[in-house]
């Protein structure tokens, strides 16, 4: 039985439940808060509430976005309050979170009577608005109309992060518990529809079994677990197992329904417009298809030969590449798995069965092609395939259990990867910054440098890293960096160059972002090198070597 309370759909009530979720670290208590709340809502409010608790404002299959970044929110808040940038920066510094900053600044405002539907309409208005001025006025109007706690969560939803210790998987679990449905049935329905709000209503109505696949919303990607050696792969997987090349590109998912094609990134963003040659190659491939693969830079003559990631970098972030860019840096889509065919998900089918579906499609083999694979039994098989993959310009290998299902968003043991040995650099920290969210009160983001040369001790910044250390290590380093801070600029501290780190990364590429003229892709901290002096760190020559540049004169090219 559903009990609907007067004002149950009020946004301030949703915010109160969000506070309750935020106040505990216990999973069952978080679930209990949602299970108590969901039954009181009418259907339309239930759908909105479930989406909002998943930190999304539109269904995943809905292409709309609010088009609001931090600068619009900042300007709207400044216009409403009359506060200076310095005052707002100070408020942000106390929290490291835009939503908490807004809630702090407007803390004394009383709760409004606005409903969840009213909030949803504000987001819809932002999606319709043209120009930053119009969007700023919509945000300003919403901030002026809402209470202190409501503006906090309005801003968090705009940013796409609630930071209350709740993920969509837990919202799925709460829906299952609330309406007494099997959890896997709820999750399966959400994968099919891409809208936890719609799924919540269907769960209430007992109609989950009627759900069919809705294309053009991204499904979570299955991930591979890294292993260090061929021997470890042989031990981990049943024999024989499948080997595929690991491509040095960006993961992508293609949805194809006749002539309509959309591409989604691993971060679930729509990137279709950036890769017109791939879209053209996929058109007409089939009906109701969802394909998993890699976008890679390819040789203009031999489309099966990969080029370095640095070439692909020229295409990233471009919404409409010019003909010149398309000619200079052509991209291919190498497809290695299939998640749906004829509008039916096949996630539970074996890898072998999914590959059979892929093989049945009529590939043009121009800018979209099916990845090749081979069977392996021994470590020697893996070593031979690894060498062949590297010779082809690829990053390494993925090994797969032929009987494995496709598990979205999970890093299971049925897919494992073997990559090239990663290079490292010894660097010195030149600047540190407070983190965000739970790391707001520690110095966790480190800018680092190398020496100009063996005879020139000038420090040249080459990157920034914030992954790799434990919370305990970061806490210890925070005290250390506080003691060697020479200047402060808001959240950023310039520090004496005393702390040496060993960092690893995927590749080195040219960049104007850093003084060294290079940047590290995906840098991670391996360890603190207290055994090394700053005078012993690596030089720019080593960075050039790792980037494949042997001629120093090319630095200014």
């Amino acid at each position: 039985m559903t009990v609907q309370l007067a004002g149950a759909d009020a946004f301030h009530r949703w915010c109160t439940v969000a506070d309750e979720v935020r106040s505990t670290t216990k999973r069952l208590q978080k679930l209990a808060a949602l299970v108590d709340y969901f039954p009181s809502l009418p259907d339309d409010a239930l759908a909105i509430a479930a989406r909002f608790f998943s930190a999304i404002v539109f269904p995943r299959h809905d292409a709309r976005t609010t088009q609001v970044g931090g600068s619009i929110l900042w300007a709207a808040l400044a216009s409403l309050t009359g506060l200076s940038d310095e005052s707002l920066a100070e408020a942000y510094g106390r929290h490291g979170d835009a939503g908490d900053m807004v809630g702090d600044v407007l803390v004394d405002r009383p709760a409004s009577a606005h409903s969840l539907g009213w909030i949803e309409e504000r987001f819809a208005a932002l999606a319709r608005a043209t120009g930053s001025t119009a969007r700023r006025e919509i945000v300003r109007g919403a901030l002026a109309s809402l209470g202190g706690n409501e503006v906090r969560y309005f801003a968090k939803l705009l940013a796409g992060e609630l930071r209350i210790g709740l993920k969509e998987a837990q919202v799925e679990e709460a829906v299952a518990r609330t309406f007494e449905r099997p959890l896997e049935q709820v999750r399966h329905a959400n994968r099919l529809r891409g809208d936890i709000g719609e799924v919540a209503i269907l769960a209430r109505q007992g109609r989950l079994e009627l759900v069919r696949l809705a294309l053009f919303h991204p499904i979570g990607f299955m991930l591979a677990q890294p292993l260090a050696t061929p021997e470890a792969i042989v031990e981990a997987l049943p024999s024989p197992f499948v080997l595929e090349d690991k491509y040095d590109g960006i993961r992508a998912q293609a949805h194809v329904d006749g002539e309509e094609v959309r591409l989604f990134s691993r971060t679930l963003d729509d990137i279709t417009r950036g890769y017109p040659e791939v879209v053209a190659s996929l058109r007409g491939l089939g009906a109701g298809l969802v394909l998993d693969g890699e976008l890679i830079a390819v040789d203009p003559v031999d489309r099966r030969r990969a080029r370095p990631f640095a070439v692909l970098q020229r295409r990233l972030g471009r919404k409409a590449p010019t003909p010149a860019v398309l000619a200079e840096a052509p991209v291919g889509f190498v497809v290695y798995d299939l998640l749906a065919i004829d509008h039916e998900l096949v996630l539970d089918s074996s890898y072998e069965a999914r590959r059979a579906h892929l093989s049945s499609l009529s590939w043009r083999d121009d800018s979209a092609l099916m990845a090749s694979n081979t069977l392996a039994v021994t470590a020697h098989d893996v070593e031979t395939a690894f060498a062949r993959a590297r010779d082809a310009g690829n990053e390494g290998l993925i090994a797969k259990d032929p009987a494995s299902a496709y598990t979205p968003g999970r890093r299971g043991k049925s897919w494992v990867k073997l990559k090239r040995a990663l290079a490292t650099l010894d660097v010195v920290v030149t600047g540190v910054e407070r983190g965000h969210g739970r790391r707001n009160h520690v110095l966790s983001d480190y800018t680092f440098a190398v020496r100009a040369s063996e005879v020139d001790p000038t420090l040249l910044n080459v990157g920034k890293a914030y992954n790799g250390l434990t919370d305990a290590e970061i806490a210890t380093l925070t005290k250390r960096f506080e003691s060697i801070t020479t200047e402060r600029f808001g959240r950023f501290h310039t520090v004496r160059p005393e702390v040496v780190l060993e960092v690893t990364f995927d590749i080195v590429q040219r960049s104007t972002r850093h003084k060294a003229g290079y940047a590290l892709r995906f840098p991670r901290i391996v360890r603190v090198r207290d055994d090394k002096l700053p005078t012993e760190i690596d030089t720019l020559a080593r960075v050039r070597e790792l980037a494949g540049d042997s001629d120093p004169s090319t630095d200014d090219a």
Side-chain angles (χ1 to χ4, degrees):
M1 177 179 175
T2 299
V3 179
Q4 295 178 6
L5 305 176
D9 65 343
F11 184 51
H12 74 80
R13 187 163 174 261
W14 182 95
C15 296
T16 299
V17 178
D19 279 342
E20 188 177 345
V21 171
R22 188 181 192 179
S23 69
T24 180
T25 59
K26 298 184 183 300
R27 185 180 67 87
L28 292 180
Q29 290 180 5
K30 291 177 185 288
L31 289 174
L34 300 187
V35 170
D36 286 345
Y37 173 60
F38 282 160
S40 68
L41 298 171
D43 283 355
D44 56 349
L46 172 64
I48 298 169
R51 288 187 207 113
F52 284 6
F53 278 122
S54 301
I56 54 177
V57 298
F58 301 119
R60 294 199 185 280
H61 59 73
D62 191 325
R64 290 178 297 170
T65 65
T66 62
Q67 309 175 80
V68 172
S71 61
I72 289 179
L73 178 64
W74 192 281
L77 186 60
S79 172
L80 177 64
T81 62
L83 292 175
S84 66
D85 281 350
E86 291 76 13
S87 296
L88 293 179
E90 182 182 349
Y92 184 82
R94 288 194 292 271
H95 302 283
D97 178 274
D100 289 332
M101 173 195 73
V102 175
D104 185 352
V105 170
L106 301 176
V107 65
D108 294 328
R109 290 177 175 263
S112 75
H114 288 307
S115 67
L116 287 164
W118 187 90
I119 299 295
E120 183 184 51
E121 174 51 34
R122 301 285 77 70
F123 293 135
L126 287 167
R128 293 191 300 267
T130 56
S132 59
T133 300
R135 290 192 289 274
R136 184 178 66 243
E137 288 308 305
I138 293 170
V139 173
R140 186 186 188 281
L143 297 180
S145 301
L146 296 170
N149 206 32
E150 293 166 303
V151 295
R152 180 189 314 279
Y153 285 106
F154 178 78
K156 284 176 177 287
L157 287 166
L158 277 177
E161 285 187 295
L162 293 181
R163 290 181 172 171
I164 60 174
L166 192 69
K167 296 184 180 297
E168 188 168 357
Q170 291 167 283
V171 179
E172 291 173 333
E173 188 173 355
V175 167
R177 289 186 178 217
T178 301
F179 303 114
E180 299 179 339
R181 308 298 175 199
L183 175 57
E184 188 47 47
Q185 190 179 43
V186 170
R187 287 190 168 148
H188 181 69
N190 197 24
R191 286 194 291 266
L192 287 169
R193 300 304 300 169
D195 182 4
I196 186 61
E198 178 189 1
V199 169
I201 295 173
L202 292 171
R204 167 182 273 170
Q205 296 171 347
R207 299 171 56 217
L208 289 174
E209 67 280 359
L210 303 178
V211 170
R212 294 292 178 265
L213 177 66
L215 279 181
F216 310 119
H217 73 87
I219 298 170
F221 290 82
M222 184 171 177
L223 306 175
Q225 177 178 313
L227 290 179
T229 65
E231 289 77 13
I233 289 177
V234 171
E235 186 176 342
L237 294 177
S239 180
F241 49 87
V242 175
L243 294 178
E244 297 172 350
D245 284 9
K246 186 180 189 308
Y247 301 94
D248 195 7
I250 63 168
R251 192 85 174 267
Q253 191 176 103
H255 291 226
V256 182
D257 196 23
E259 295 298 303
E260 188 171 2
V261 177
R262 283 202 214 157
L263 301 174
F264 299 95
S265 69
R266 183 169 162 178
T267 54
L268 310 185
D269 296 313
D270 190 328
I271 55 173
T272 308
R273 291 181 58 199
Y275 304 95
E277 68 269 61
V278 173
V279 171
S281 186
L282 289 171
R283 283 197 178 112
L285 185 63
L289 298 175
V290 178
L291 308 172
D292 184 9
E294 196 94 1
L295 290 167
I296 60 172
V298 294
D299 189 296
V301 177
D302 180 4
R303 293 298 176 109
R304 283 190 170 271
R305 181 162 184 83
R307 296 168 77 188
F309 183 85
V311 179
L312 180 64
Q313 194 84 10
R314 302 176 201 168
R315 296 287 297 273
L316 301 184
R318 291 179 183 264
K319 292 184 178 179
T322 64
V325 170
L326 290 171
E328 292 168 6
V331 167
F333 183 48
V334 184
V335 180
Y336 39 72
D337 216 322
L338 177 142
L339 285 63
I341 187 168
D342 295 329
H343 298 275
E344 294 291 337
L345 281 182
V346 291
L347 303 178
D348 294 330
S349 299
S350 68
Y351 167 87
E352 287 181 317
R354 299 194 307 274
R355 284 284 300 195
H357 284 306
L358 277 180
S359 298
S360 71
L361 302 175
S362 299
W363 298 93
R364 297 190 181 98
D365 280 351
D366 46 15
S367 292
L369 57 150
M370 183 174 162
S372 59
N373 65 8
T374 186
L375 289 176
V377 174
T378 67
H380 177 72
D381 294 338
V382 178
E383 289 169 353
T384 301
F386 183 82
R388 188 166 56 244
R390 294 297 305 280
D391 288 343
N394 298 323
E395 192 177 29
L397 291 175
I398 298 284
K400 300 179 178 179
D401 179 351
S404 61
Y406 191 100
T407 53
R410 298 181 189 173
R411 195 182 297 278
K413 294 183 179 180
S414 55
W415 285 18
V416 295
K417 60 186 176 183
L418 178 67
K419 295 171 63 173
R420 58 179 168 238
L422 296 176
T424 63
L425 283 171
D426 290 331
V427 298
V428 69
V429 178
T430 57
V432 295
E433 189 173 358
R434 273 196 282 173
H436 299 272
R438 67 183 182 87
R439 287 187 168 178
N440 180 51
H441 300 294
V442 291
L443 296 168
S444 61
D445 299 11
Y446 309 138
T447 298
F448 50 81
V450 294
R451 291 178 293 152
S453 72
E454 292 290 354
V455 295
D456 183 353
T458 302
L459 296 177
L460 304 174
N461 286 341
V462 73
K464 180 178 180 179
Y466 43 84
N467 289 325
L469 297 179
T470 66
D471 289 346
E473 288 172 320
I474 291 170
T476 299
L477 282 176
T478 294
K479 295 177 182 177
R480 190 170 172 185
F481 286 129
E482 289 281 9
S483 70
I484 60 173
T485 292
T486 58
E487 290 182 281
R488 296 173 188 253
F489 303 93
R491 301 169 61 81
F492 185 84
H493 297 215
T494 302
V495 297
R496 292 198 303 270
E498 298 178 3
V499 177
V500 175
L501 303 176
E502 181 181 355
V503 296
T504 188
F505 41 86
D506 283 8
I507 61 171
V508 181
Q509 56 200 36
R510 288 182 169 277
S511 172
T512 57
R513 182 183 306 172
H514 300 297
K515 197 172 181 180
Y518 295 87
L520 311 184
R521 182 182 177 222
F522 299 139
R524 284 93 67 199
I525 301 167
V526 177
R527 55 179 168 156
V528 180
R529 294 298 304 265
D530 284 330
D531 59 321
K532 282 204 167 188
L533 297 172
T535 53
E536 299 176 292
I537 64 172
D538 282 306
T539 66
L540 183 58
R542 173 61 174 156
V543 176
R544 287 196 192 103
E545 178 187 341
L546 292 171
D549 287 348
S550 57
D551 181 4
S553 67
T554 62
D555 285 348
D556 297 322

